Amino acid sequence: MTPTLRRKLEALAERREELERLLADPGVAADANRFRNLSREFAQLEPLATALADEARARDDLAAAQAMRSDPELRELAEEEIAAATTRLEELDAQLLAHLVPRDPRDEGDIYLEVRAGTGGDEAAIFAGDLFRMYSRYAERQGWKVEVESANPGEHGGFREVIARVEGRGAYSRLKFESGTHRVQRVPETESQGRIHTSAATVAIIPVEAEGEPIELNASDLKVDTFRSSGAGGQHVNKTDSAIRITHVPSGVVVESQTERSQHANRDKAMKRLAAMLADAQAAKAAAAQAETRKLQVGSGDRSQRIRTYNFPQGRITDHRVEGLTLYDLPNVLTGDLDALVMRLQQEHQADELARLTHDA
């Protein structure tokens, strides 16, 4: 580890000690918001403190073992303990470097999940429905809440477009690498000749706007239309013009909400999603400028990038961003067992960030 990186670790350790003192201050405890934010930061730094303490013990163990080398009777034991301590220090070095990877403040937050049919007609809509069901079941496994905000069903099943809000701790950190074009290769039910067709659907993962970082929306920039709801929601949906469509004129971004009974509630939902989309666009622009060569373009805004292929005849899933990331477990993945994909993509992202961090140091 370079001296620069070591100094960064020491600075984080000092910050943890400062947080410990602040959290013991009655004045800080009296401010609920500040106390909560500081407690969250302290909890994030706790694993770093543990790793540093483990490193100090491993260094002591290594020094003790090296001192034993001079005793002929203990030399063999000393060599074994030196090897064990050296291996442990290498492991801890990797752990400590991982703590230096910048955390995205949005990682623990909620998301908007958008799935849209791409090329492939009815089969693309059916596949979009398969993807939405896959993510919904994954969310259910995590104990997250999924609430559909807008849906346009396909004529023969699935969705032309479906948008949902997913609420649950860590939703963005786990699903942020899913944005892009997903391709499916299979024989459609309507195919009489048994030929394999290729269709596609796009996925967009948009973090819900972080508290304390609001996007200002000027009323003069918004075009608001009302229309009669046609989606889920009961018999009331097609009786009044309660659905809302908001267009942000400067950017051209359009959002709709029609799942609530009142126009006011639909407007509130639409405004929140619009703010999230504009904030995501800002973050995407900054990310693209800073990291043009990253394999996992989180927040790049490029929904056209083909990221994954689902091959039904072979039961295979291939992620095209990571070399060797192929799973022959398609049925289970489609039922929401995404852990293998999610963990591998997170590891790849961390490796990229560590390489950049080491290079910059």
Coordinates of all heavy atoms in Angstrom, one line a residue, residues 159-252:
F159 N -45.4 -6.3 -21.0 CA -45.6 -4.9 -21.0 C -44.9 -4.2 -22.2 O -43.8 -4.6 -22.5 CB -45.0 -4.3 -19.7 CG -45.7 -4.8 -18.5 CD1 -45.1 -5.8 -17.7 CD2 -46.9 -4.2 -18.0 CE1 -45.7 -6.2 -16.6 CE2 -47.5 -4.7 -16.9 CZ -46.9 -5.7 -16.1
R160 N -45.6 -3.2 -22.8 CA -44.8 -2.3 -23.6 C -43.9 -1.4 -22.8 O -42.8 -1.0 -23.1 CB -45.8 -1.4 -24.4 CG -46.8 -2.2 -25.3 CD -46.1 -3.1 -26.3 NE -45.0 -2.5 -27.1 CZ -44.2 -3.2 -27.9 NH1 -44.3 -4.5 -27.9 NH2 -43.3 -2.5 -28.5
E161 N -44.5 -1.1 -21.6 CA -43.7 -0.3 -20.6 C -44.3 -0.5 -19.2 O -45.5 -0.5 -19.1 CB -43.8 1.2 -21.0 CG -43.1 2.2 -20.0 CD -43.3 3.6 -20.3 OE1 -44.4 4.2 -19.9 OE2 -42.5 4.2 -21.0
V162 N -43.4 -0.6 -18.2 CA -43.9 -0.7 -16.9 C -42.9 0.1 -16.0 O -41.7 -0.1 -16.2 CB -44.1 -2.1 -16.4 CG1 -42.8 -2.9 -16.5 CG2 -44.6 -2.2 -14.9
I163 N -43.4 0.9 -15.1 CA -42.6 1.7 -14.2 C -43.0 1.5 -12.8 O -44.2 1.6 -12.5 CB -42.6 3.2 -14.5 CG1 -42.2 3.5 -16.0 CG2 -41.8 4.0 -13.6 CD1 -42.4 4.9 -16.5
A164 N -42.1 1.2 -11.9 CA -42.4 0.9 -10.5 C -41.4 1.6 -9.6 O -40.3 1.8 -10.0 CB -42.4 -0.6 -10.2
R165 N -41.9 1.9 -8.4 CA -41.0 2.3 -7.3 C -40.6 1.2 -6.4 O -41.5 0.4 -6.0 CB -41.6 3.5 -6.5 CG -40.7 4.0 -5.4 CD -41.2 5.3 -4.9 NE -40.4 5.7 -3.7 CZ -40.2 6.9 -3.3 NH1 -40.6 7.9 -4.0 NH2 -39.5 7.2 -2.2
V166 N -39.3 1.0 -6.2 CA -38.9 -0.1 -5.3 C -38.3 0.5 -4.1 O -37.3 1.2 -4.2 CB -37.8 -1.0 -6.1 CG1 -37.4 -2.2 -5.2 CG2 -38.4 -1.6 -7.4
E167 N -38.9 0.2 -2.9 CA -38.4 0.7 -1.7 C -37.8 -0.4 -0.8 O -38.4 -1.4 -0.5 CB -39.6 1.4 -0.9 CG -40.3 2.5 -1.7 CD -41.4 3.1 -1.0 OE1 -41.8 2.5 0.1 OE2 -42.0 4.1 -1.4
G168 N -36.6 -0.1 -0.4 CA -35.9 -1.1 0.4 C -34.4 -0.7 0.6 O -33.8 -0.2 -0.4
R169 N -33.8 -1.0 1.7 CA -32.5 -0.6 2.0 C -31.5 -1.4 1.0 O -31.6 -2.6 0.8 CB -32.1 -1.0 3.4 CG -30.7 -0.6 3.8 CD -30.4 -0.8 5.2 NE -29.0 -0.4 5.6 CZ -28.5 -0.5 6.8 NH1 -29.2 -1.0 7.8 NH2 -27.3 -0.1 7.0
G170 N -30.7 -0.6 0.3 CA -29.7 -1.1 -0.6 C -30.2 -1.4 -2.0 O -29.5 -2.1 -2.8
A171 N -31.4 -1.0 -2.3 CA -32.0 -1.3 -3.6 C -31.1 -0.8 -4.7 O -30.8 -1.5 -5.7 CB -33.4 -0.8 -3.7
Y172 N -30.6 0.4 -4.6 CA -29.8 1.0 -5.7 C -28.5 0.3 -5.8 O -28.0 0.0 -6.9 CB -29.6 2.5 -5.5 CG -28.9 3.2 -6.6 CD1 -29.4 3.2 -7.9 CD2 -27.6 3.7 -6.4 CE1 -28.7 3.8 -8.9 CE2 -26.9 4.3 -7.4 CZ -27.5 4.3 -8.7 OH -26.8 4.9 -9.7
S173 N -27.9 0.0 -4.7 CA -26.5 -0.6 -4.7 C -26.6 -2.0 -5.4 O -25.6 -2.4 -6.0 CB -25.9 -0.7 -3.3 OG -26.7 -1.7 -2.5
R174 N -27.7 -2.7 -5.2 CA -27.8 -4.0 -5.8 C -28.2 -4.0 -7.2 O -27.8 -5.0 -8.0 CB -28.7 -4.9 -4.9 CG -28.2 -5.2 -3.6 CD -29.2 -6.0 -2.7 NE -28.6 -6.4 -1.5 CZ -28.0 -7.6 -1.2 NH1 -27.9 -8.4 -2.2 NH2 -27.5 -7.9 -0.1
L175 N -29.0 -3.1 -7.6 CA -29.6 -3.1 -9.0 C -29.1 -2.1 -9.9 O -29.5 -2.0 -11.1 CB -31.1 -3.0 -8.9 CG -31.8 -4.2 -8.2 CD1 -33.3 -4.0 -8.2 CD2 -31.5 -5.5 -8.9
K176 N -28.2 -1.2 -9.5 CA -27.7 -0.1 -10.3 C -27.0 -0.6 -11.6 O -26.9 0.2 -12.6 CB -26.9 0.9 -9.5 CG -25.6 0.3 -9.0 CD -24.9 1.4 -8.1 CE -23.6 0.8 -7.5 NZ -23.0 1.9 -6.6
F177 N -26.5 -1.8 -11.6 CA -25.8 -2.3 -12.8 C -26.7 -2.9 -13.8 O -26.3 -3.5 -14.8 CB -24.7 -3.2 -12.4 CG -23.7 -2.7 -11.5 CD1 -23.6 -3.2 -10.2 CD2 -22.9 -1.6 -11.8 CE1 -22.7 -2.7 -9.3 CE2 -22.0 -1.1 -10.9 CZ -21.9 -1.6 -9.6
E178 N -28.0 -2.9 -13.6 CA -29.0 -3.5 -14.5 C -29.4 -2.6 -15.6 O -30.1 -3.1 -16.6 CB -30.2 -4.0 -13.7 CG -29.9 -5.0 -12.6 CD -29.4 -6.3 -13.3 OE1 -30.0 -6.9 -14.2 OE2 -28.2 -6.7 -12.9
S179 N -29.1 -1.3 -15.6 CA -29.5 -0.4 -16.7 C -28.9 -0.8 -18.0 O -27.6 -1.0 -18.1 CB -29.2 1.0 -16.3 OG -30.0 1.5 -15.3
G180 N -29.7 -0.8 -19.1 CA -29.1 -1.1 -20.4 C -30.1 -2.0 -21.2 O -31.2 -2.2 -20.8
T181 N -29.6 -2.5 -22.3 CA -30.5 -3.4 -23.1 C -30.2 -4.9 -22.8 O -29.1 -5.3 -22.8 CB -30.1 -3.1 -24.6 OG1 -30.4 -1.8 -25.0 CG2 -30.9 -4.1 -25.5
H182 N -31.3 -5.6 -22.5 CA -31.3 -7.0 -22.2 C -31.9 -7.7 -23.5 O -33.0 -7.4 -23.9 CB -32.2 -7.3 -21.0 CG -31.6 -6.7 -19.8 ND1 -31.3 -7.4 -18.7 CD2 -31.4 -5.4 -19.4 CE1 -30.9 -6.6 -17.7 NE2 -31.0 -5.3 -18.1
R183 N -31.1 -8.7 -24.0 CA -31.5 -9.4 -25.2 C -31.9 -10.8 -24.9 O -31.3 -11.5 -24.0 CB -30.3 -9.4 -26.2 CG -30.7 -10.0 -27.5 CD -29.4 -9.9 -28.4 NE -28.4 -10.8 -28.0 CZ -27.3 -11.1 -28.7 NH1 -27.1 -10.6 -29.9 NH2 -26.4 -12.0 -28.2
V184 N -33.0 -11.3 -25.5 CA -33.5 -12.7 -25.3 C -33.4 -13.4 -26.6 O -33.7 -12.9 -27.7 CB -34.9 -12.7 -24.7 CG1 -35.9 -12.1 -25.6 CG2 -35.3 -14.1 -24.3
Q185 N -33.0 -14.7 -26.5 CA -33.0 -15.6 -27.7 C -33.8 -16.8 -27.3 O -33.4 -17.6 -26.4 CB -31.5 -16.0 -28.0 CG -30.7 -14.8 -28.5 CD -29.2 -15.2 -28.7 OE1 -28.7 -16.0 -27.9 NE2 -28.6 -14.5 -29.6
R186 N -34.9 -17.0 -28.0 CA -35.8 -18.1 -27.7 C -36.8 -18.3 -28.8 O -37.0 -17.4 -29.7 CB -36.5 -18.0 -26.4 CG -37.5 -16.8 -26.3 CD -38.1 -16.7 -24.9 NE -38.9 -15.5 -24.7 CZ -39.4 -15.1 -23.5 NH1 -39.1 -15.8 -22.4 NH2 -40.1 -14.0 -23.5
V187 N -37.6 -19.4 -28.8 CA -38.6 -19.7 -29.7 C -39.9 -19.1 -29.2 O -40.4 -19.6 -28.1 CB -38.8 -21.2 -30.0 CG1 -39.9 -21.4 -31.0 CG2 -37.5 -21.8 -30.5
P188 N -40.5 -18.1 -29.8 CA -41.8 -17.5 -29.2 C -42.9 -18.5 -29.3 O -42.9 -19.4 -30.2 CB -42.0 -16.3 -30.2 CG -40.7 -16.0 -30.8 CD -40.0 -17.3 -30.9
E189 N -43.9 -18.4 -28.5 CA -45.0 -19.3 -28.5 C -45.8 -19.2 -29.8 O -46.4 -20.2 -30.2 CB -46.0 -19.0 -27.3 CG -45.3 -19.3 -25.9 CD -46.3 -19.0 -24.8 OE1 -47.4 -18.6 -25.1 OE2 -45.9 -19.1 -23.6
T190 N -45.7 -18.1 -30.4 CA -46.4 -17.9 -31.7 C -45.7 -18.4 -32.9 O -46.2 -18.3 -34.0 CB -46.8 -16.4 -31.9 OG1 -45.5 -15.6 -31.8 CG2 -47.7 -15.9 -30.8
E191 N -44.5 -18.9 -32.7 CA -43.6 -19.3 -33.8 C -43.9 -20.8 -34.2 O -43.7 -21.7 -33.4 CB -42.1 -19.2 -33.5 CG -41.1 -19.8 -34.4 CD -41.3 -19.3 -35.8 OE1 -41.2 -18.1 -36.0 OE2 -41.5 -20.1 -36.7
S192 N -44.5 -20.9 -35.4 CA -45.0 -22.3 -35.8 C -43.8 -23.1 -36.3 O -43.9 -24.4 -36.3 CB -46.1 -22.2 -36.8 OG -45.6 -21.5 -38.0
Q193 N -42.7 -22.5 -36.8 CA -41.6 -23.2 -37.4 C -40.5 -23.6 -36.4 O -39.6 -24.2 -36.8 CB -41.0 -22.4 -38.5 CG -42.0 -22.0 -39.6 CD -42.6 -23.2 -40.4 OE1 -41.8 -24.1 -40.6 NE2 -43.9 -23.1 -40.7
G194 N -40.7 -23.2 -35.2 CA -39.7 -23.5 -34.2 C -38.4 -22.7 -34.3 O -37.4 -23.2 -33.8
R195 N -38.4 -21.6 -35.0 CA -37.2 -20.8 -35.2 C -36.9 -19.9 -33.9 O -37.9 -19.4 -33.3 CB -37.4 -19.9 -36.4 CG -37.4 -20.7 -37.7 CD -37.7 -19.8 -38.9 NE -39.0 -19.2 -38.8 CZ -39.6 -18.5 -39.7 NH1 -38.9 -18.2 -40.8 NH2 -40.8 -18.0 -39.5
I196 N -35.7 -19.8 -33.6 CA -35.3 -18.9 -32.5 C -35.3 -17.5 -33.0 O -34.8 -17.1 -34.0 CB -33.9 -19.3 -32.0 CG1 -33.8 -20.7 -31.5 CG2 -33.4 -18.3 -31.0 CD1 -32.5 -21.2 -31.1
H197 N -36.0 -16.6 -32.2 CA -36.0 -15.2 -32.4 C -35.2 -14.5 -31.4 O -35.0 -14.9 -30.3 CB -37.5 -14.7 -32.4 CG -38.3 -15.1 -33.5 ND1 -39.2 -14.3 -34.2 CD2 -38.5 -16.3 -34.1 CE1 -39.8 -14.9 -35.1 NE2 -39.4 -16.2 -35.1
T198 N -34.7 -13.3 -31.8 CA -34.0 -12.4 -30.9 C -34.8 -11.2 -30.7 O -35.2 -10.5 -31.6 CB -32.6 -12.1 -31.4 OG1 -31.8 -13.2 -31.6 CG2 -31.9 -11.1 -30.5
S199 N -35.1 -10.9 -29.4 CA -35.8 -9.7 -29.0 C -35.1 -9.0 -27.9 O -34.1 -9.5 -27.4 CB -37.3 -10.0 -28.6 OG -37.9 -10.8 -29.6
A200 N -35.6 -7.8 -27.6 CA -34.9 -7.0 -26.6 C -35.8 -6.1 -25.7 O -36.9 -5.8 -26.2 CB -33.8 -6.1 -27.2
A201 N -35.3 -5.8 -24.6 CA -36.1 -4.9 -23.7 C -35.0 -4.0 -23.0 O -33.9 -4.5 -22.8 CB -36.9 -5.6 -22.7
T202 N -35.4 -2.8 -22.7 CA -34.4 -1.9 -22.0 C -34.8 -1.8 -20.5 O -36.0 -1.8 -20.2 CB -34.3 -0.5 -22.6 OG1 -35.6 0.1 -22.6 CG2 -33.9 -0.6 -24.0
V203 N -33.9 -1.7 -19.7 CA -34.1 -1.5 -18.2 C -33.4 -0.2 -17.8 O -32.3 0.1 -18.2 CB -33.5 -2.7 -17.4 CG1 -33.6 -2.4 -15.9 CG2 -34.2 -4.0 -17.8
A204 N -34.0 0.6 -17.0 CA -33.4 1.8 -16.4 C -33.6 1.8 -14.9 O -34.8 1.5 -14.4 CB -34.1 3.1 -17.0
I205 N -32.6 1.9 -14.2 CA -32.6 2.0 -12.7 C -32.3 3.4 -12.3 O -31.2 3.9 -12.6 CB -31.6 1.0 -12.1 CG1 -31.8 -0.4 -12.5 CG2 -31.6 1.1 -10.6 CD1 -33.2 -1.0 -12.1
I206 N -33.2 4.1 -11.8 CA -33.1 5.5 -11.4 C -33.2 5.7 -9.9 O -34.2 5.3 -9.3 CB -34.1 6.4 -12.1 CG1 -34.0 6.2 -13.6 CG2 -34.0 7.8 -11.7 CD1 -35.1 6.8 -14.4
P207 N -32.1 6.2 -9.2 CA -32.2 6.3 -7.8 C -33.2 7.4 -7.4 O -33.3 8.5 -8.1 CB -30.8 6.7 -7.4 CG -30.2 7.4 -8.6 CD -30.8 6.6 -9.8
V208 N -34.0 7.2 -6.4 CA -34.9 8.2 -5.9 C -34.0 9.3 -5.3 O -33.0 9.1 -4.6 CB -35.8 7.6 -4.8 CG1 -36.6 8.7 -4.1 CG2 -36.7 6.5 -5.4
E209 N -34.4 10.5 -5.6 CA -33.6 11.7 -5.2 C -33.3 11.6 -3.7 O -34.1 11.4 -2.9 CB -34.4 12.9 -5.5 CG -33.6 14.2 -5.4 CD -34.5 15.4 -5.7 OE1 -35.7 15.3 -5.8 OE2 -33.9 16.5 -5.8
A210 N -32.0 11.9 -3.4 CA -31.5 11.8 -2.0 C -32.1 13.0 -1.3 O -32.2 14.1 -1.8 CB -30.0 11.9 -2.0
E211 N -32.4 12.8 0.0 CA -32.9 13.9 0.8 C -31.8 14.9 1.0 O -30.6 14.6 1.1 CB -33.2 13.3 2.2 CG -34.5 12.5 2.2 CD -34.9 12.0 3.6 OE1 -34.3 12.6 4.6 OE2 -35.7 11.1 3.7
G212 N -32.2 16.2 1.0 CA -31.2 17.2 1.2 C -30.6 17.7 -0.1 O -29.8 18.6 -0.1
E213 N -30.9 17.0 -1.2 CA -30.3 17.4 -2.5 C -31.4 17.6 -3.5 O -31.5 16.9 -4.5 CB -29.3 16.4 -3.0 CG -28.1 16.2 -2.0 CD -27.2 15.1 -2.6 OE1 -27.4 14.6 -3.7 OE2 -26.2 14.8 -1.9
P214 N -32.4 18.5 -3.3 CA -33.5 18.6 -4.1 C -33.2 19.2 -5.5 O -32.3 20.1 -5.6 CB -34.5 19.5 -3.3 CG -33.6 20.3 -2.5 CD -32.4 19.5 -2.1
I215 N -33.9 18.8 -6.5 CA -33.8 19.4 -7.8 C -34.9 20.5 -7.9 O -36.1 20.2 -7.6 CB -34.0 18.3 -8.9 CG1 -32.9 17.4 -9.0 CG2 -34.2 19.0 -10.3 CD1 -31.6 18.0 -9.5
E216 N -34.5 21.7 -8.2 CA -35.5 22.7 -8.3 C -36.3 22.7 -9.6 O -35.6 22.6 -10.7 CB -34.8 24.1 -8.2 CG -34.2 24.4 -6.8 CD -33.7 25.8 -6.6 OE1 -33.9 26.6 -7.5 OE2 -33.0 26.0 -5.6
L217 N -37.6 22.6 -9.5 CA -38.4 22.6 -10.7 C -39.2 23.9 -10.8 O -40.0 24.2 -9.9 CB -39.4 21.4 -10.6 CG -38.7 20.0 -10.6 CD1 -39.7 18.9 -10.4 CD2 -38.0 19.7 -11.9
N218 N -39.0 24.6 -11.9 CA -39.7 25.8 -12.1 C -41.0 25.5 -12.8 O -41.1 24.8 -13.8 CB -38.9 26.8 -13.0 CG -37.6 27.2 -12.3 OD1 -37.6 27.4 -11.1 ND2 -36.5 27.3 -13.0
A219 N -42.1 26.1 -12.3 CA -43.4 25.8 -12.9 C -43.5 26.2 -14.4 O -44.2 25.6 -15.2 CB -44.5 26.6 -12.1
S220 N -42.7 27.3 -14.7 CA -42.7 27.7 -16.1 C -42.1 26.7 -17.1 O -42.3 26.8 -18.3 CB -42.0 29.0 -16.3 OG -40.6 28.9 -15.8
D221 N -41.3 25.7 -16.5 CA -40.7 24.7 -17.3 C -41.5 23.5 -17.5 O -41.1 22.5 -18.2 CB -39.3 24.3 -16.7 CG -38.3 25.4 -16.8 OD1 -38.4 26.3 -17.6 OD2 -37.4 25.4 -15.9
L222 N -42.7 23.4 -16.9 CA -43.5 22.2 -16.8 C -44.8 22.4 -17.6 O -45.5 23.4 -17.6 CB -43.9 21.9 -15.4 CG -42.7 21.7 -14.4 CD1 -43.3 21.4 -13.0 CD2 -41.7 20.6 -14.9
K223 N -45.1 21.4 -18.4 CA -46.4 21.3 -19.1 C -47.2 20.1 -18.5 O -46.7 19.0 -18.6 CB -46.1 21.0 -20.6 CG -47.4 20.9 -21.5 CD -47.0 20.8 -22.9 CE -48.3 20.7 -23.8 NZ -48.9 19.4 -23.7
V224 N -48.3 20.4 -17.9 CA -49.1 19.4 -17.2 C -50.4 19.1 -17.9 O -51.1 20.0 -18.3 CB -49.4 19.9 -15.7 CG1 -50.2 18.8 -15.0 CG2 -48.1 20.3 -15.0
D225 N -50.6 17.9 -18.2 CA -51.8 17.4 -18.9 C -52.5 16.4 -18.0 O -51.9 15.6 -17.3 CB -51.5 16.7 -20.2 CG -50.8 17.7 -21.2 OD1 -51.3 18.8 -21.4 OD2 -49.7 17.3 -21.7
T226 N -53.8 16.4 -18.1 CA -54.6 15.4 -17.4 C -55.3 14.5 -18.4 O -55.6 15.0 -19.5 CB -55.7 16.1 -16.5 OG1 -56.6 16.9 -17.3 CG2 -55.0 16.9 -15.4
F227 N -55.5 13.3 -18.0 CA -56.3 12.4 -18.9 C -56.9 11.3 -18.1 O -56.7 11.2 -16.9 CB -55.3 11.8 -20.0 CG -54.2 11.0 -19.4 CD1 -54.2 9.6 -19.3 CD2 -53.0 11.6 -18.9 CE1 -53.2 8.8 -18.8 CE2 -51.9 10.9 -18.4 CZ -52.0 9.5 -18.4
R228 N -57.7 10.5 -18.7 CA -58.5 9.5 -18.0 C -57.6 8.2 -17.8 O -57.1 7.7 -18.8 CB -59.8 9.1 -18.8 CG -60.8 8.3 -18.0 CD -62.2 8.5 -18.6 NE -62.6 9.9 -18.3 CZ -63.8 10.3 -18.7 NH1 -64.7 9.5 -19.3 NH2 -64.2 11.6 -18.4
S229 N -57.6 7.8 -16.6 CA -56.7 6.6 -16.3 C -57.2 5.4 -17.0 O -58.4 5.2 -17.2 CB -56.7 6.3 -14.8 OG -56.2 7.4 -14.1
S230 N -56.3 4.5 -17.4 CA -56.7 3.2 -18.0 C -56.0 2.0 -17.4 O -56.2 0.9 -17.9 CB -56.3 3.3 -19.5 OG -54.9 3.5 -19.7
G231 N -55.2 2.3 -16.4 CA -54.4 1.2 -15.8 C -55.2 0.6 -14.6 O -56.4 0.7 -14.4
A232 N -54.4 -0.1 -13.8 CA -54.9 -0.8 -12.6 C -55.4 0.3 -11.6 O -54.9 1.4 -11.6 CB -53.8 -1.7 -11.9
G233 N -56.3 -0.1 -10.7 CA -56.7 0.8 -9.7 C -58.2 0.7 -9.3 O -58.7 1.5 -8.5
G234 N -58.9 -0.2 -10.0 CA -60.3 -0.3 -9.6 C -61.2 0.3 -10.7 O -60.8 0.9 -11.7
Q235 N -62.5 0.3 -10.4 CA -63.5 0.8 -11.3 C -63.4 2.3 -11.5 O -63.9 2.9 -12.5 CB -64.9 0.4 -10.9 CG -65.1 -1.1 -10.9 CD -66.5 -1.4 -10.4 OE1 -67.3 -0.5 -10.0 NE2 -66.9 -2.7 -10.5
H236 N -62.9 3.0 -10.5 CA -62.9 4.5 -10.6 C -62.0 5.0 -11.7 O -62.1 6.2 -12.1 CB -62.4 5.1 -9.2 CG -60.9 4.9 -9.0 ND1 -60.4 3.7 -8.6 CD2 -59.9 5.7 -9.2 CE1 -59.1 3.8 -8.5 NE2 -58.7 5.0 -8.9
V237 N -61.0 4.2 -12.1 CA -59.9 4.8 -12.9 C -60.4 5.4 -14.2 O -59.8 6.4 -14.7 CB -58.8 3.7 -13.2 CG1 -58.2 3.3 -12.0 CG2 -59.4 2.6 -14.0
N238 N -61.4 4.9 -14.8 CA -61.9 5.5 -16.1 C -63.1 6.4 -16.0 O -63.7 6.6 -17.0 CB -62.1 4.3 -17.1 CG -63.3 3.4 -16.6 OD1 -63.8 3.6 -15.5 ND2 -63.6 2.4 -17.4
K239 N -63.3 6.9 -14.8 CA -64.5 7.8 -14.6 C -64.1 9.3 -14.6 O -64.9 10.1 -14.9 CB -65.3 7.4 -13.4 CG -65.9 6.0 -13.5 CD -66.7 5.7 -12.2 CE -67.3 4.3 -12.3 NZ -68.1 4.0 -11.0
T240 N -62.9 9.6 -14.2 CA -62.5 11.0 -14.0 C -61.1 11.2 -14.6 O -60.3 10.2 -14.8 CB -62.4 11.4 -12.5 OG1 -61.4 10.6 -11.9 CG2 -63.8 11.2 -11.9
D241 N -60.8 12.4 -15.0 CA -59.5 12.8 -15.5 C -58.5 13.0 -14.4 O -58.0 14.1 -14.1 CB -59.6 14.0 -16.4 CG -60.3 13.8 -17.7 OD1 -60.5 12.6 -18.0 OD2 -60.8 14.8 -18.3
S242 N -58.2 11.8 -13.7 CA -57.3 11.9 -12.5 C -55.8 11.7 -12.9 O -55.0 12.0 -12.1 CB -57.8 11.0 -11.5 OG -57.7 9.6 -11.9
A243 N -55.6 11.1 -14.0 CA -54.2 10.8 -14.4 C -53.5 12.0 -14.8 O -54.0 13.0 -15.3 CB -54.2 9.8 -15.5
I244 N -52.1 12.0 -14.6 CA -51.3 13.2 -14.8 C -50.1 12.9 -15.7 O -49.5 11.8 -15.6 CB -50.8 13.8 -13.5 CG1 -51.9 14.4 -12.6 CG2 -49.6 14.8 -13.7 CD1 -52.3 15.7 -13.2
R245 N -49.9 13.8 -16.7 CA -48.7 13.7 -17.5 C -48.0 15.0 -17.4 O -48.5 16.0 -17.7 CB -49.1 13.4 -19.0 CG -47.8 13.3 -19.9 CD -48.2 13.1 -21.3 NE -49.0 11.9 -21.6 CZ -50.3 11.8 -21.9 NH1 -51.0 13.0 -22.0 NH2 -50.9 10.7 -22.1
I246 N -46.7 14.9 -17.0 CA -45.9 16.2 -16.8 C -44.7 16.1 -17.8 O -44.0 15.1 -17.8 CB -45.4 16.3 -15.4 CG1 -46.6 16.4 -14.4 CG2 -44.5 17.6 -15.3 CD1 -46.2 16.5 -13.0
T247 N -44.6 17.2 -18.6 CA -43.4 17.3 -19.5 C -42.5 18.4 -19.0 O -42.9 19.5 -18.8 CB -43.9 17.6 -20.9 OG1 -44.8 16.6 -21.4 CG2 -42.7 17.7 -21.9
H248 N -41.2 18.0 -18.8 CA -40.2 19.0 -18.5 C -39.7 19.6 -19.8 O -38.9 18.9 -20.5 CB -39.1 18.4 -17.6 CG -38.1 19.3 -17.1 ND1 -36.8 19.4 -17.6 CD2 -38.2 20.4 -16.2 CE1 -36.1 20.3 -17.0 NE2 -36.9 20.9 -16.2
V249 N -40.2 20.7 -20.1 CA -39.9 21.3 -21.5 C -38.4 21.4 -21.8 O -38.0 21.0 -22.9 CB -40.7 22.6 -21.7 CG1 -40.4 23.2 -23.0 CG2 -42.2 22.4 -21.5
P250 N -37.6 21.9 -20.9 CA -36.2 22.1 -21.3 C -35.5 20.8 -21.7 O -34.6 20.8 -22.6 CB -35.5 22.7 -20.1 CG -36.7 23.4 -19.4 CD -37.9 22.5 -19.6
S251 N -35.8 19.7 -21.0 CA -35.1 18.4 -21.2 C -35.9 17.5 -22.1 O -35.4 16.5 -22.7 CB -34.8 17.7 -19.9 OG -36.0 17.4 -19.2
G252 N -37.2 17.7 -22.2 CA -38.1 16.8 -22.9 C -38.5 15.5 -22.1 O -39.2 14.7 -22.7

